[in-house]
Every structure is written in structure tokens, then in C-alpha cells.
Amino acid sequence: MGLEKVSILLAAAMAISTQVAARAACDPAVGLTFICGLTNAEDLVQVPGTPWIVASGLAEGEHSGGHIYLVNAQDRTVQVLLPGHVIYRQDTGTFGACPGAPDEAKFSAHGLSLRVGSASEHTLYVVHHGERESVEVFTLRPDPRHRA
């Protein structure tokens, strides 16, 4: 597996309004509170200085489409980043041999890692088991209005 390309998750993505519907079976139980609405969440990384946790969503079986989610640890809401809310800008200087953006319909996010950068920009690595078995590299720019 090689690093395939760089994409940018702009600050606007941190404030998207698309909410994932929570299931009714998500009520608190035995003193535990749950965050529901994610499909096959495989890995989690905290975005420093924000309430955000990035979660991967593996495509598997009846869940043919994978995801990258944003979970707000304060209010327990879930937003979908991928598919549909990623802006792709390939870093041809670093990843010139990359064939381009992944097919979001075949995306399958598994492991995650976050390289902390400045307060305004981090690098998110996502193991992608979709059509090309790759490590996708994203620039994550948290919205300063959404700091912890």
C-alpha cells in the first residue's frame, strides 16, 4: 500500500448540516450513552482542540458504501464527510503517480491516523479497502468556530 493522493476537507466540511439519522435503539442503557447512526465504524481519531472525532465506516456486506464521519463529542451528533462533502485537490508534487480521487461509491474506510499539524490544519490518513486498496491522504482543516 502506498500513499495515493492528498485531498482537502475544507473548513466548511466541519460545519455541514447533513445529520445522520439516529436509530431508536440508541437510548441510554445501564448508565451508558451511545452515539448511533454510524455504519461499520472501524476506527476513531480525536481532532485536537475541537469537539470532533473522525470515524471510519467500512463498506461490508449489505453496507456497500463506506464513509468518513465527524462525531461531535459534546452534543453526540454525527455528520457525513464522505461521500459527498470532500473537495479533492491532488498534490501532484508529492503524489504525482496517483490516479486521482477515489470512487466514493466504492469507498471503504478502515484504519485512521491523524498527524497533528498547526491548529488550523492536520493530515488524516485513511486505509481504503475499496477499488484500489490504498492509503488516502487528506488535509483536515477544522473550522475555528468549532473549537472545544
Side-chain angles (χ1 to χ4, degrees):
M1 255 185 264
L3 297 178
E4 292 294 330
K5 58 142 203 33
V6 171
S7 301
I8 297 177
L9 302 175
L10 293 177
M14 298 299 281
I16 59 176
S17 61
T18 306
Q19 299 289 322
V20 177
R23 296 183 301 245
C26 202
D27 294 332
V30 195
L32 299 174
T33 324
F34 303 97
I35 300 173
C36 297
L38 292 82
T39 302
N40 292 334
E42 289 288 325
D43 207 358
L44 306 169
V45 292
Q46 173 73 48
V47 180
T50 75
W52 300 110
I53 298 169
V54 179
S56 62
L58 186 66
E60 181 178 60
E62 66 189 52
H63 303 288
S64 60
H67 296 84
I68 298 176
Y69 299 102
L70 276 178
V71 178
N72 186 315
Q74 291 176 344
D75 65 13
R76 297 184 179 99
T77 58
V78 177
Q79 299 173 355
V80 175
L81 281 180
L82 191 147
H85 300 282
V86 174
I87 297 172
Y88 296 98
R89 292 192 187 126
Q90 185 169 339
D91 179 350
T92 56
T94 305
F95 303 105
C98 175
D103 181 345
E104 289 189 358
K106 297 178 182 175
F107 197 82
S108 184
H110 198 186
L112 301 173
S113 183
L114 187 71
R115 185 179 74 201
V116 177
S118 67
S120 62
E121 189 170 290
H122 308 294
T123 304
L124 177 67
Y125 299 90
V126 180
V127 175
H128 168 38
H129 290 302
E131 81 281 9
R132 63 184 184 201
E133 289 290 337
S134 58
V135 174
E136 304 295 330
V137 182
F138 298 90
T139 299
L140 183 63
R141 294 185 179 151
D143 188 327
R145 295 171 296 169
H146 294 93
R147 296 278 180 218

